[in-house]
Amino acid sequence: MKTITFMGNILIFDNVTIMSEKSETTLDKIYTALNSSKQLPSEIIYLVNWDKVDVFVDLKQRGRVTIDGIDEHSLIIKDKENGRYTAMVLIVDENEKVSFKKILDKLHQSKSMNLELYLSIVDKYGDVTYYTLSEIKMSK
């Protein structure tokens, strides 16, 4: 039986991930509204993960092209030059407890998608710190 799941901009078809880009995502709309000092609709204000918005805006200001990740706590970075997806960003609030299992799951997920994994920690002021995560195999 075929299973299809759509999460944000990513379509998962029988455990094969296919990324698609909508014309303008919710994050793009928020970014545009913040830059033009337009008022955001109230349904967006209360339903949005603001840590994700902070990271999205920070990456956009650094010249990165990003799309929604496969869940509410991730983004995907796209290379401007060749159009390939290069990295997944796991978004965590500084006060949030993150299990080691969740980090390992994201690491394996990003590895299966052939992406690097970055951990972004958002503090109470909206400042973002990035860490690179990778797997190290140690021999005896």
Side-chain angles (χ1 to χ4, degrees):
M1 179 176 204
K2 304 284 184 194
T3 59
I4 299 174
T5 309
F6 185 74
M7 304 169 81
N9 288 347
I10 297 179
L11 175 71
I12 301 172
F13 180 72
D14 276 348
N15 295 325
V16 175
T17 304
I18 304 164
M19 296 182 196
S20 65
E21 297 179 41
K22 296 179 187 175
S23 58
E24 188 177 43
T25 65
T26 303
L27 290 171
D28 288 320
K29 289 176 186 174
I30 292 170
Y31 182 76
T32 304
L34 291 173
N35 282 336
S36 64
S37 66
K38 290 182 184 174
Q39 185 151 1
L40 292 169
S42 59
E43 66 271 7
I44 289 178
I45 292 173
Y46 296 112
L47 298 176
V48 169
N49 176 346
W50 286 101
D51 289 336
K52 187 173 188 174
V53 172
D54 280 338
V55 174
F56 181 82
V57 168
D58 184 65
L59 290 170
K60 202 136 178 101
Q61 289 174 343
R62 293 172 187 252
R64 303 286 193 262
V65 176
T66 60
I67 62 169
D68 275 324
I70 55 177
D71 61 18
E72 189 59 29
H73 298 284
S74 66
L75 291 169
I76 305 289
I77 298 175
K78 182 179 178 180
D79 190 332
K80 281 193 225 178
E81 321 243 317
N82 61 18
R84 290 182 47 234
Y85 299 99
T86 58
M88 179 186 298
V89 180
L90 175 60
I91 303 161
V92 178
D93 180 79
E94 71 176 343
N95 296 318
E96 183 181 341
K97 291 183 180 180
V98 181
S99 69
F100 192 65
K101 182 183 178 343
K102 180 178 180 179
I103 292 173
L104 278 177
D105 288 346
K106 283 294 177 192
L107 188 59
H108 291 130
Q109 187 178 45
S110 65
K111 192 175 178 181
S112 72
M113 296 168 66
N114 203 22
L115 301 172
E116 291 183 58
L117 180 63
Y118 297 103
L119 174 66
S120 64
I121 300 179
V122 183
D123 70 12
K124 64 183 176 183
Y125 303 109
D127 296 327
V128 184
T129 305
Y130 298 95
Y131 298 94
T132 303
L133 299 177
S134 61
E135 190 174 27
I136 298 173
K137 297 193 181 208
M138 302 180 82
S139 59
K140 292 184 180 182

